[in-house]
Amino acid sequence: MNDMTQPELMHGHHGPAQGITRWLYTTNHKDIGTLYLWFSFAMFLIGGCMALVIRSELFQPGLQLVQPEFFNQMTTMHGLIMVFGAVMPAFVGLANWMIPLMVGAPDMALPRMNNLGFWILPFAFAMLLSTLLMEGGGPNFGWTFYAPLSTTYAPPSVTFFIFSVHMMGISSIMGAINVIATILNMRAPGMTMMKMPLFVWTWLITAFLLIAVMPVLAGVITMMLMDIHFGTSFFDAGGGGDPVLFQHLFWFFGHPEVYIMILPAFGIISHIVPTFSRKRLFGYASMVYATASIALLSFVVWAHHMFTVGLPLAGELFFMYSTMLIAVPTGVKVFNWVSTMFRGAISFETPMLFAIGFIVLFTIGGFSGLMLAISPADFQYHDTYFVVAHFHYVLVPGAVFSIIAGAYYWLPKWTGHMYNERLGQWHFWLSMIGVNLTFFPMHFIGLAGMPRRIPDYALQFADFNMIASIGGFMFGFSQLLFLYIVIKCIKGGEKAEAKPWEGAEGLEWQVASPAPYHTFAQPPRID
Amino acid sequence: MDTLRDIGGRPHAQGLPCKAFVLLLWAPPSISFADWELNMPVGVTEISESVYSLHMTIFWICVVIALIVFGIMFWSIFHHRKSKGAKPAEFHESTTVEIIWTIIPLLILVGMAVPATATLRQMYDTSEAEVDIQITGYQWKWRYQYLNEEIDFFSNLSTPKEQIQNQAEKTDTYLLEVDNPLVLPVGKKVRFLLTSNDVIHSWWIPDFAVKKDAIPGFINEAWTKIDKPGTYRGQCAELCGKDHGFMPIVVVAMNDNDYSAWVAQQQAAKQAKAASAEKEWTLAELMTKGEQVYNTACAACHQANGMGIPGAFPALKGSVMATQDKAAHINIVLNGKAGTAMAAYGGQFDAVDLAAVITYERNAWGNDTKEMVTPQEIKQARGQ
Ligand SMILES: [Cu+2]
């Protein structure tokens, strides 16, 4: 290990530039990773405020705080910002920071494109947010923006929405190309594919998914643009088009997109669980195969979001069967994590708590997903709060918990300090209780018949809505504690060793904490 | 809430064990048991019952798997913790185990797919219906056309604005009540033909387990056969713009005799209405009628005070069209404006209602043209 840190020491004098230009011009994977992570956290807070507007309006029946027009803008923006602004950039940030460290590379393969990929995002989101101030308001057609509500019937700001989604897509594709180029070309000698850490594997597969489906999203929004401004009728039955075509295209992007948001999470959890169980990951190879099969299956399940549009019976059956099939590889992953913990020597530091929270609650989200796959039953679940409960379970205690777990896990490596463990535990328990109070009751109101995306509701849904709103505020404000813990950890704290976790394995723990500005100028050897 | 249940006639499953648990945790003393609706309704059709049983089967399968997986996990958490001096084992793979836990879920899924396929095939069999109803979604109301009986009407939310704005007490059917419910016979197979006039809507009655999208330019089919007379309530399930939350669906199911009587009554009313187009209307009469039509059909966009919503829906108060150009005014209301949210109302209302609403717009809110648009003028404009 000692000789591995030598090159870094020699490079130590070559530190970051000073001031704002460090961040504007940086091509350093660690700086860019940091930028992505902070950007994503800012978006998480903005999208979270929108969620709290929604939950406040739904606290009681009747219209109190906002009017329906604005409510629809909030649901739309909340979804777009959380998906494209919070979750995806957070994973890209983690990839930037950790993939070079994990494969023993000095940086990402394409550092300048890396810089561009990040700096597109603030402009894209500034434009998206500015639509809220435009005449007619911002996008109000849901984050799934079904035509013709998003074309013929959309507010004028839809054009800006299209432009900003194009920019986000370009940024994602650049990020994905970079990840693939880095992983395929820059692994340390001796690191064969089947020796790659799982976070690297899951990101490699995610990056291929991104490259496959982002162009489809770009295509579908370009078709919208043509319909709105250039007189085509792709989605307008009056001109020979088909509104359902929009949904097929959108979900051909949209379903792989949900795996884009969860596969890297699987990777993170597969690092944390073995570390704190002090036992090797159970079934490494089957984890890789399961991830790959989930990714492949994700291309043939898209119409399960469209069971009520009037698909032919054969289509309905095909998409029901293929969707049910996804439960198998997903189950394999959960079983593997549990077997890793089984007969380990487990300790419960904050990353592990979030990882356990992830496994339990993501699995609950998986169960409701299995229920939704049963097409006849989906006629009752579709577009109700049951669906809202389902995808929030896989995205909040799923994707978001994994990001938080990863942040705690790698904070010592990033900052050189240990975070405050006591506060971390508080953060976990507040988040855990808040998230369940918010989203568990949504299963009930959905089954009882409350449609999603409504600003006001019938009286029998009142009590659970009130509980969900209280939970929402609790979860939201707990995240400020997270902000405090992270800032405190950056500023100081107990000194972190190169390998702060007893059971941790991997190259990232062989460099000093905090990781020097340049690492692995000489590739390490893996045998 | 018990009253709502009686009106709705919705038998609900009370079976979930967690209900008691939830109640223990959260029930404030003032809230009655029925408020805590936890599960899907069993419903009142054969299909809704099979859907319910599929739902419960898959639910219990998930519960059993969850108990096993989480059971092992929490057992490890308690017994294999470092603080208790646990020493980690060495194993990290087993092909046999991996194969077993791939095959078993696969078999469970096949077992689940069989009954689901059967129910789905039944849902898709729309043949041999005795009553055909075309359902059209509009922003933000439903239109019901009985294809054989030549009955045709709109169904609008009837909850008063004051209740929504919290100025009046909310009643039990808050947001789930309409002016004209869809009336159906029990025991007969009813086929629905769904379409839309503008954006995509979705017609949903939980008690029938019928949910189908209403898509502009296309016709979807669904069917139901109701077992019990009663009133059944649902809502539009697909985001369709501003008042998506305010376009409920109410179905009143009647036995055969009542249903025939209702059909006869509707047809008589239709004839009386046709006759009224011939009579001489006064400005005051048209204004009163026009205000009604305006508030149900136009106020959602143009607002009750005629001011519209800037950037989305134009103001009619003081607009050039509503104060000067009468022909253009009649034209836009009859034919709508392609590519905008302004729909063609010529096919939605009869001549009297159209004349009344246009007269109203030309005289309300200080527009004061003192001009009257008569049903005859509308008929003429339609003739062109
Ligand atoms: Cu609707």
Side-chain angles (χ1 to χ4, degrees), chain B residues 137-142 199-202 236-241 243-244 247:
Chain B
Y138 286 77
Q139 279 183 322
W140 294 281
K141 61 197 167 186
W142 296 97
V199 300
I200 300 176
H201 303 266
S202 188
C236 175
E238 179 64 57
L239 177 63
C240 56
D243 284 349
H244 162 55
M247 50 182 293

Side-chain angles (χ1 to χ4, degrees), chain A residues 61-64 67-69 72 76 135-136 140-142 146-149 152-153 156 237 241-244 247 277-286 307-313 316-317 320-321 324-325 327-328 332 334-336 338-339 341-348 356 359-361 363-364 367-368 370-371 374-384 386 437 441 443-461 463-464 467 502, chain B residues 1 4 10 16 18 22 26 31 34-41 48 51 54-55 58-59 62 65-66 69-70 72-77 80-83 86-94 97-98 101-102 105-106 109-110 112-113 116-117 119-121 123-124 139 163-166 170-172 174-176 197-200 202 204-213 215-218 220 235-246 309-312 339-341:
Chain A
L63 295 178
Q64 287 89 9
Q67 290 304 305
E69 304 84 299
N72 287 346
T76 307
E135 188 166 281
N140 55 11
F141 26 67
Y146 282 6
L149 189 61
T152 315
Y153 295 83
D242 182 351
V244 177
Q247 298 183 25
S277 304
R278 291 165 182 78
K279 185 160 156 271
R280 259 176 82 179
L281 181 70
F282 187 86
Y284 169 90
S286 73
F307 279 147
T308 65
V309 300
L311 299 177
L313 180 60
E316 201 93 356
L317 289 173
M320 169 165 79
Y321 300 150
M324 290 166 84
L325 216 52
V328 177
V332 166
V334 175
F335 301 146
N336 280 341
V338 172
S339 309
M341 290 167 71
F342 184 68
R343 295 188 46 208
I346 310 174
S347 59
F348 301 92
I356 294 173
I359 298 174
V360 174
L361 300 184
T363 305
I364 292 179
F367 285 140
S368 57
L370 184 56
M371 296 172 75
I374 311 290
S375 146
D378 184 70
F379 280 91
Q380 293 283 45
Y381 308 137
H382 178 69
D383 263 336
T384 69
F386 191 77
L437 271 184
H443 292 111
F444 303 138
I445 42 180
L447 292 175
M450 178 162 159
R452 63 192 282 204
R453 294 168 167 164
I454 59 176
D456 191 7
Y457 49 82
L459 298 181
Q460 69 264 39
F461 309 127
D463 304 311
F464 283 129
I467 293 169
E502 184 192 352
Chain B
M1 222 40 19
L4 172 59
R10 295 172 57 167
L16 283 186
C18 42
V22 170
W26 289 317
I31 288 166
D35 277 329
W36 302 88
E37 197 56 71
L38 290 175
N39 204 354
M40 183 189 285
S48 72
V51 166
L54 282 173
H55 160 69
I58 186 79
F59 171 73
C62 291
I65 300 176
V69 175
F70 297 153
I72 296 176
M73 183 167 151
F74 283 103
W75 196 79
S76 315
I77 287 179
H80 305 151
R81 47 172 69 210
K82 189 175 178 238
S83 56
K87 292 269 167 301
E90 283 293 318
F91 69 89
H92 61 85
E93 60 193 356
S94 157
V97 174
E98 300 270 2
W101 67 37
T102 309
L106 211 57
L109 291 178
V110 172
M112 202 52 225
T117 304
T119 306
L120 199 62
R121 294 178 71 99
M123 286 173 129
Y124 264 69
Q139 279 183 322
Q163 288 189 23
I164 298 172
Q165 311 281 338
N166 311 303
K170 298 177 176 47
T171 54
D172 278 343
Y174 177 70
L175 294 189
L176 295 179
N197 188 55
D198 37 54
V199 300
I200 300 176
S202 188
W204 179 33
I205 292 280
D207 280 305
F208 306 163
V210 171
K211 182 185 284 150
K212 236 338 154 13
D213 292 358
I215 299 170
F218 292 83
N220 268 332
Q235 284 177 269
C236 175
E238 179 64 57
L239 177 63
C240 56
K242 178 168 85 65
D243 284 349
H244 162 55
F246 304 92
I309 296 176
T340 74

